[in-house]
Amino acid sequence: MIILAILLALVVLWELWMLMIRCRRGHPQWKILRLYRYAHRGYHQKPQIPENSMAAFRRAVDHNYGAELDVHLMKDGNLAVIHDSSLLRTAGVDVEVEDLTAEELAQYRLEGTDERIPLLEEVLELFEGKTPLIVELKPARGNHNALAEATCAMLDRYGVKYCLESFDPRCLLWLKKHRPEIVRGQLSQQFSRHPGDDEGYGKLTLFVLSHLWGNCMTKPDFIAYRYSDRNCATLRWCRRIYHVQEVNWTITSKEEMEDAERDGNLVIFERFDPRG
């Protein structure tokens, strides 16, 4: 009886774990999205071509690459394409993009160049009818729902192939409830290995995100996982059991790219030409 009880408990725990890491699969958009490699924050080439600049996005299109980009919601409802909330690293000013209007944003230049910080609509106009986008939602100050809604509304206006991703599962929950037809992905990594990348979350939340236990609520179509951390056991089981699409970031060499693509993963690359 004791052995039977232990076996039963193990079966129950296995089923619970299976539910916790559950993913969605078979989205028809993969037929297009899987055809491309994706330039991280555009196909930038510093210092001449800054990240997340129109020049970087034009270069990606010209080389027939897709692009990954980051989106923030500004105080006037416009959407800025930039990685950090703070403009200190990219534009040299100590201000946060969520506190700006589009008119104020236009005053700043990227990394000592003449390039402005683009609005999402400018990037979408460039990519319309061309290569696809991986759009990362970068919520701040609890605006996850408003950001997801505004981004989807903007994407609806343009004929662009895309998927959406975020570290914040609340963005994915909004997409699951309100826009289930959109390809959605959970961004993650082994946060314990990267103490500076806590995304503002507590230790328990970071542990849950690292091991993809929030999938039971969000049911993502893909997992975008840091390439150097991709030996995560939960990630391997997500692929084995649910055949979820894995996306690796950030690929910085041809060897890493070939390693990821051998496993059927999509790549987000930077600092090298994938075509050699």
Side-chain angles (χ1 to χ4, degrees), residues 35-254:
L35 297 177
Y36 294 89
R37 294 163 175 160
Y38 295 85
H40 188 231
R41 307 178 193 173
Y43 195 13
H44 56 82
Q45 189 176 34
K46 299 182 181 184
Q48 296 89 355
I49 303 176
E51 65 182 59
N52 277 324
S53 66
M54 289 304 295
F57 296 128
R58 281 192 293 269
R59 187 169 180 239
V61 169
D62 290 344
H63 286 77
N64 200 39
Y65 295 135
E68 181 268 355
L69 57 83
D70 311 279
V71 175
H72 290 257
L73 182 64
M74 295 190 291
K75 72 176 183 180
D76 62 356
N78 280 293
L79 295 157
V81 177
I82 190 169
H83 183 268
D84 308 345
S85 280
S86 171
L87 302 191
L88 191 58
R89 178 180 66 88
T90 52
V93 288
D94 191 11
V95 64
E96 294 195 349
V97 68
E98 284 81 13
D99 294 325
L100 300 176
T101 65
E103 183 178 359
E104 292 166 339
L105 187 74
Q107 303 172 16
Y108 303 112
R109 296 295 180 267
L110 287 167
E111 301 182 44
T113 70
D114 292 331
E115 290 290 324
R116 295 183 297 103
I117 300 167
L119 299 177
L120 179 59
E121 59 201 80
E122 297 175 283
V123 180
L124 295 180
E125 185 175 350
L126 172 65
F127 278 84
E128 193 163 26
K130 300 186 178 84
T131 56
L133 292 169
I134 298 176
V135 179
E136 180 182 347
L137 301 174
K138 303 285 284 188
R141 308 173 191 174
N143 70 357
H144 41 276
N145 289 342
L147 171 63
E149 183 175 10
T151 302
C152 290
M154 183 61 68
L155 286 160
D156 287 342
R157 294 168 49 186
Y158 294 88
V160 176
K161 301 295 184 184
Y162 67 91
C163 58
L164 296 178
E165 65 178 12
S166 184
F167 281 103
D168 194 326
R170 294 174 298 181
C171 291
L172 274 65
L173 279 172
W174 188 94
L175 293 171
K176 178 188 171 188
K177 179 178 180 180
H178 299 282
R179 299 298 300 268
E181 77 281 5
I182 293 175
V183 180
R184 59 183 183 266
Q186 181 65 58
L187 265 164
S188 194
Q189 62 179 348
Q190 290 293 308
F191 285 96
S192 61
R193 298 182 183 177
H194 312 281
D197 298 344
D198 60 11
E199 297 290 324
Y201 302 129
K203 290 184 178 179
L204 178 60
T205 300
L206 293 177
F207 182 85
V208 169
L209 291 176
S210 294
H211 296 280
L212 306 172
W213 291 356
N215 288 6
C216 59
M217 298 182 295
T218 60
K219 295 180 183 176
D221 295 289
F222 67 99
I223 307 295
Y225 218 85
R226 183 190 283 262
Y227 172 78
S228 61
D229 297 344
R230 61 190 291 263
N231 61 348
C232 171
T234 309
L235 176 61
R236 291 199 300 270
W237 278 107
C238 283
R239 292 185 55 201
R240 183 174 298 178
I241 297 169
Y242 295 111
H243 304 285
V244 69
Q245 179 64 57
E246 182 179 341
V247 179
N248 290 141
W249 57 275
T250 303
I251 302 295
T252 59
S253 71
K254 184 179 179 182

